Amino acid sequence: MAPRLDFSNLWGKDTRRGTPVVVTMENRNISVVEIDGPDAAFRPVERSRGKNAKQVTWVLLLKAHRAVGCISWLATFLWALLGTIKKRLVYGQGVVMETEKLGKGKLLFGVIRVFLVTSLVILTFEVVAYFKGWHYFQNSNLHIPRTSEIQGWLHMVYVAWLTFRADYIAPLIQALSTFCIVLFLIQSVDRMILCLGCFWIKYKKIKPRINGDIFGTDDVEKSAVYDYPMVLVQIPMCNEREVYEQSISAVCQMDWPKNRLLIQVLDDSNDESIQWLIQVEVAKWSQKGINIKYRHREVRTGYKAGNLNSAMGCDYIKDYDFVAIFDADFQPNPDFLKQTVPHFKVKDQQNPLSDSPELGLVQARWAFVNKDENLLTRLQNINLCFHFEVEQQVNGVFLNFFGFNGTAGVWRIKALEESGGWLERTTVEDMDIAVRAHLNGWKFIFLNDVKVLCEVPESYEAYRKQQHRWHSGPMQLFRLCLPAIISSKISALKKANLILLFFLLRKLILPFYSFTLFCIILPLTMFVPEAELPLWVICYVPVLMSLLNILPAPKSFPFIVPYLLFENTMSVTKFNAMVSGLFQLGSSYEWTVTKKTGRSSESDLLAAAERESKTMNQLQIHRGASESELSALNHLMEQKEAAAIPVKKVNKIYKKELTLAFLLLTASVRSLLSAQGVHFYFLLFQGVTFLLVGLDLIGEQMS
């Protein structure tokens, strides 16, 4: 038997009531408990009983330790708060701080702000509860709901939400999604037709050709007979420190008789150092016998359109027949004019050098020196390759009309003058002049084989500003040109193409349905499953359209999934720009020069030896200059060398775009998983693609 353990003597000499009950257990590890009565176990225990002086001392020491810890924590918090305030004051005075620390500070500030708002809400509730007497122990009449009651209320609210969602929200979303799906299918059919037209052009090998050797390079007599037309080349630029030299150098090396060529450098720079550098470059080529002129405007009105319009008003260009336009980052090949200008001439048996009076524009294709620089440039290359290879080429072959790209094209000056010249009413002066020339009966041709090197934006900020201008300007132009299109003398088919396809479908409907369907309705289907989109709308058709877009750039196939997310995410910017242009909002008139990096082509790298002798040539040019001018020139050269030092790039995270991309990915995966049969291979392809893109981005950051 286990010994009887009686602990009653340890509790003092109090009077017991009732009959004592003793319970013994056979297990030696379990003690015996004695209960004196039915109320003994529930009697309050006096906590002060049994405590000695040593225990009281330890309790006091613990409380003192806690008080000291609270004071030290409060002091540390106040010190950190003062330091943060000081940093914010210093930053507000214009002192540049490290981007990484600033980003962490903003994140911390956001977290603190959330906790602050939550604390204020809780504090307000506590104050109201205190004055209302909502205390359980002070007000016994206060009814505290039980768990079953709360569950019943939540169930009622949830059922009411389901009913409201099914009766009111889901029908609206379903109607809007049906409308957007119809627009999506129309745009997909248009894209399919363009791709079929491109396949037909490739199969039949259709392209604008020059019959015979119009220049007579093999025959001296033919070469003497051919009358080279007078060609004007314009290079508009504004604060283009990184690219002005390579563009001027490429244009000045074009193969064309010097007495039949005039180059205008149209500088709108407001930086005096850049103005001097461009003047030095122009003087260098002028010293070599190139007919080149420098022109600068003090007031930059009308942006690029105002610059070109001002240059066309010069008296010395009245004898010129054609004008070629190149932006500051474009580097044409030496034979560019010989590949484009002869298309304005038609050879027949009666007159081998007869003119083609209906041709107003010859547009060349863009090629990009930095298309593999990062993920953003690769995705841009997909869009632009499709634009030139499919859209421009098909419209040029079958319709003799397309939007002028603003650069790398040759215009007949007569076509510009009869169409009203360059107008400053929109930010897309190139599309404006193309539409007006088309309404006047002029024809365009696109040369897919003639490529001009240029750059695409390497930063998302520059790309977003460029896309905003490209998508707000067409809507401005549509409002202004619609009456002229309706009242023009062109055929009804051409009017329908301009209004329905060129403006409405490709400039208005495309950003509208892309934003509404994939950025609003698709995420909403996660919360409103009654309006779930069909699987072919989410998966099959977008993948098919993306494959068609990537066909002109087959090396970009591994980036099809990032391209899908990128395009849907960019639809927010495009939709915003479309709305601002359609309703003439203030942001539709913004013009920001796209930031360039000055990427060089292979021909520029081969000509490095010539650039090394630049200083000597400039000293020979300014041999007759005064000492003050030479010192100013040397100072400007030092500024240029200092500007050429590479600056470490700071990566900026665009939280809205990144969050939206992950939201779209989550909604798409959820829709795929909810369908019958999990599309395992598609999800696996998504995972592998994101892994490749992640490794690519990691490689870029390390480099």
Side-chain angles (χ1 to χ4, degrees):
M1 293 290 292
R4 178 178 178 181
L5 301 177
D6 189 3
F7 298 97
S8 59
N9 296 328
L10 300 177
W11 299 99
K13 299 179 180 180
D14 56 337
T15 305
R16 300 182 179 88
R17 295 180 182 179
T19 304
V21 178
V22 178
V23 180
T24 59
M25 303 293 294
E26 294 293 335
N27 193 347
R28 296 181 179 180
N29 297 326
I30 299 177
S31 301
V32 178
V33 179
E34 180 179 352
I35 301 177
D36 294 339
D39 298 331
F42 304 98
R43 228 183 293 161
V45 180
E46 297 181 6
R47 296 186 178 181
S48 61
R49 183 176 298 174
K51 294 182 180 179
N52 53 25
K54 189 175 183 180
Q55 290 178 337
V56 172
T57 304
W58 277 108
V59 170
L60 294 177
L61 288 175
L62 287 175
K63 290 184 177 181
H65 182 267
R66 290 180 181 178
V68 173
C70 291
I71 294 174
S72 62
W73 178 85
L74 183 61
T76 305
F77 174 76
L78 292 176
W79 182 261
L81 182 62
L82 292 176
T84 304
I85 295 174
K86 181 179 179 181
K87 290 181 180 179
R88 290 187 176 275
L89 292 176
V90 172
Y91 180 73
Q93 294 174 359
V95 179
V96 180
M97 300 177 65
E98 296 181 6
T99 307
E100 184 178 359
K101 293 183 179 180
L102 184 60
K104 292 182 179 179
K106 289 183 178 179
L107 179 61
L108 180 60
F109 176 73
V111 175
I112 293 175
R113 185 168 54 185
V114 170
F115 277 100
L116 176 62
V117 173
T118 306
S119 302
L120 290 176
V121 172
I122 296 175
L123 178 62
T124 304
F125 177 78
E126 289 290 338
V127 172
V128 173
Y130 177 81
F131 286 104
K132 292 290 184 180
W134 294 347
H135 299 282
Y136 181 73
F137 296 102
Q138 296 181 4
N139 188 2
S140 58
N141 296 325
L142 182 65
H143 176 67
I144 303 299
R146 298 180 180 179
T147 305
S148 59
E149 296 179 3
I150 295 176
Q151 290 178 352
W153 295 343
L154 293 178
H155 180 71
M156 292 175 57
V157 173
Y158 182 66
V159 171
W161 158 247
L162 291 180
T163 305
F164 179 79
R165 186 180 72 184
D167 294 341
Y168 299 100
I169 299 179
L172 293 177
I173 298 178
Q174 194 66 46
L176 183 59
S177 63
T178 303
F179 178 68
C180 291
I181 289 173
V182 172
L183 298 179
F184 177 44
L185 293 177
I186 294 175
Q187 197 272 337
S188 301
V189 171
D190 174 66
R191 184 146 300 190
M192 286 288 296
I193 294 175
L194 289 175
C195 292
L196 292 176
C198 183
F199 292 150
W200 181 259
I201 292 173
K202 295 294 184 182
Y203 176 72
K204 292 293 185 179
K205 299 181 180 179
I206 302 173
K207 66 177 181 178
R209 302 177 185 273
I210 302 174
N211 296 325
D213 188 7
I214 192 172
F215 295 102
T217 55
D218 298 332
D219 192 344
V220 180
E221 295 181 358
K222 289 184 179 180
S223 179
V225 169
Y226 181 76
D227 185 16
Y228 286 86
M230 301 285 286
V231 178
L232 172 68
V233 180
Q234 294 179 333
I235 313 175
M237 58 180 62
C238 179
N239 296 326
E240 308 281 2
R241 181 188 295 271
E242 295 82 7
V243 294
Y244 77 92
E245 182 180 359
Q246 61 189 27
S247 62
I248 295 176
S249 175
V251 170
C252 290
Q253 295 179 34
M254 288 196 296
D255 186 10
W256 200 258
K258 294 182 180 180
N259 60 341
R260 315 293 292 179
L261 180 67
L262 172 63
I263 301 173
Q264 281 185 320
V265 179
L266 310 177
D267 184 23
D268 268 0
S269 303
N270 53 11
D271 190 338
E272 294 184 358
S273 63
I274 300 178
Q275 296 176 22
W276 273 95
L277 292 173
I278 297 175
Q279 291 181 30
V280 169
E281 186 69 17
V282 170
K284 181 189 77 171
W285 288 102
S286 179
Q287 186 74 13
K288 294 181 180 181
I290 303 298
N291 189 10
I292 183 172
K293 295 183 179 295
Y294 174 82
R295 181 178 174 85
H296 178 262
R297 294 193 307 164
E298 295 295 337
V299 180
R300 190 192 171 202
T301 58
Y303 303 111
K304 182 180 177 181
N307 197 1
L308 294 173
N309 190 36
S310 175
M312 293 298 295
C314 298
D315 296 333
Y316 54 81
I317 67 170
K318 293 182 178 179
D319 297 331
Y320 288 84
D321 304 317
F322 306 100
V323 54
I325 302 173
F326 299 100
D327 284 348
D329 59 316
F330 279 71
Q331 308 169 47
N333 293 327
D335 60 346
F336 175 83
L337 293 179
K338 288 190 174 181
Q339 289 182 324
T340 55
V341 175
H343 288 278
F344 291 97
K345 302 290 182 178
V346 176
K347 296 186 67 174
D348 54 29
Q349 295 181 355
Q350 284 78 17
N351 186 4
L353 301 177
S354 62
D355 194 31
S356 177
E358 296 180 350
L359 185 59
L361 168 67
V362 176
Q363 174 71 58
R365 179 175 176 172
W366 299 0
F368 311 106
V369 295
N370 61 339
K371 62 182 180 180
D372 296 325
E373 184 65 24
N374 53 40
L375 180 61
L376 177 62
T377 59
R378 292 186 179 99
L379 299 180
Q380 292 181 73
N381 182 58
I382 295 174
N383 280 334
L384 293 173
C385 284
F386 181 85
H387 170 70
F388 288 108
E389 186 84 15
V390 179
E391 294 179 346
Q392 297 291 77
Q393 186 173 209
V394 171
N395 291 325
V397 170
F398 295 102
L399 299 176
N400 293 120
F401 167 73
F402 47 83
F404 175 48
N405 295 115
T407 178
V410 182
W411 276 94
R412 188 189 298 271
I413 295 182
K414 183 179 179 181
L416 292 177
E417 294 175 349
E418 291 184 357
S419 303
W422 301 102
L423 299 182
E424 306 170 5
R425 55 183 181 175
T426 66
T427 56
V428 284
E429 73 292 331
D430 45 8
M431 186 181 295
D432 189 0
I433 188 63
V435 171
R436 287 185 282 115
H438 180 60
L439 296 179
N440 287 323
W442 293 98
K443 295 182 179 180
F444 308 157
I445 63 173
F446 177 76
L447 304 179
N448 192 54
D449 297 334
V450 181
K451 299 179 181 180
V452 182
L453 292 176
C454 62
E455 293 183 16
V456 290
E458 296 183 6
S459 65
Y460 179 75
E461 184 176 1
Y463 176 71
R464 187 174 60 177
K465 293 179 180 179
Q466 182 194 69
Q467 292 298 306
H468 187 277
R469 187 177 78 247
W470 285 5
H471 286 80
S472 64
M475 289 297 97
Q476 287 181 290
L477 183 61
F478 178 64
R479 289 171 54 97
L480 298 173
C481 287
L482 183 59
I485 295 173
I486 296 175
S487 61
S488 63
K489 298 180 180 180
I490 61 177
S491 63
L493 181 61
K494 292 183 178 180
K495 290 181 181 179
N497 173 67
L498 269 177
I499 297 175
L500 299 179
L501 296 181
F502 186 76
F503 279 112
L504 289 181
L505 182 60
R506 297 167 189 166
K507 302 298 187 297
L508 188 146
I509 292 178
L510 177 60
F512 169 76
Y513 88 77
S514 180
F515 169 75
T516 307
L517 185 62
F518 295 106
C519 296
I520 295 181
I521 298 178
L522 179 59
L524 283 178
T525 56
M526 293 190 297
F527 308 100
V528 187
E530 293 86 355
E532 189 170 1
L533 294 174
L535 186 62
W536 57 270
V537 174
I538 302 173
C539 178
Y540 298 133
V541 177
V543 170
L544 177 60
M545 292 298 105
S546 299
L547 288 174
L548 293 178
N549 285 359
I550 291 179
L551 283 180
K555 294 183 179 180
S556 303
F557 179 77
F559 304 98
I560 180 173
V561 175
Y563 174 73
L564 270 171
L565 296 176
F566 174 74
E567 281 300 296
N568 291 329
T569 304
M570 280 302 301
S571 63
V572 179
T573 299
K574 296 176 182 179
F575 178 80
N576 180 29
M578 182 268 293
V579 172
S580 65
L582 187 63
F583 295 101
Q584 302 289 323
L585 302 180
S587 60
S588 61
Y589 295 96
E590 294 179 357
W591 179 287
T592 304
V593 179
T594 305
K595 183 65 176 178
K596 317 293 193 313
T597 57
R599 302 290 178 182
S600 300
S601 61
E602 294 181 0
S603 59
D604 294 328
L605 295 177
L606 294 176
E610 182 180 355
R611 293 196 189 93
E612 290 179 358
S613 61
K614 178 183 176 183
T615 306
M616 297 301 298
N617 293 335
Q618 289 171 347
L619 292 176
Q620 293 177 2
I621 294 171
H622 295 271
R623 186 175 298 172
S626 61
E627 294 182 359
S628 60
E629 293 177 349
L630 289 176
S631 61
L633 177 61
N634 293 331
H635 179 64
L636 289 174
M637 294 305 301
E638 292 176 358
Q639 288 183 350
K640 182 179 179 181
E641 292 177 357
I645 299 175
V647 180
K648 185 178 180 180
K649 298 180 180 179
V650 178
N651 297 319
K652 183 178 180 180
I653 298 177
Y654 292 85
K655 300 178 182 178
K656 293 187 296 182
E657 288 78 3
L658 189 61
T659 305
L660 180 59
F662 278 106
L663 179 61
L664 296 178
L665 179 62
T666 304
S668 301
V669 173
R670 180 258 175 196
S671 300
L672 290 173
L673 293 176
S674 63
Q676 291 183 357
V678 180
H679 293 68
F680 174 75
Y681 294 103
F682 183 76
L683 295 178
L684 179 63
F685 175 72
Q686 278 187 327
V688 173
T689 305
F690 276 110
L691 178 61
L692 294 176
V693 173
L695 293 176
D696 177 72
L697 292 176
I698 292 173
E700 291 171 7
Q701 300 301 327
M702 293 178 63
S703 62

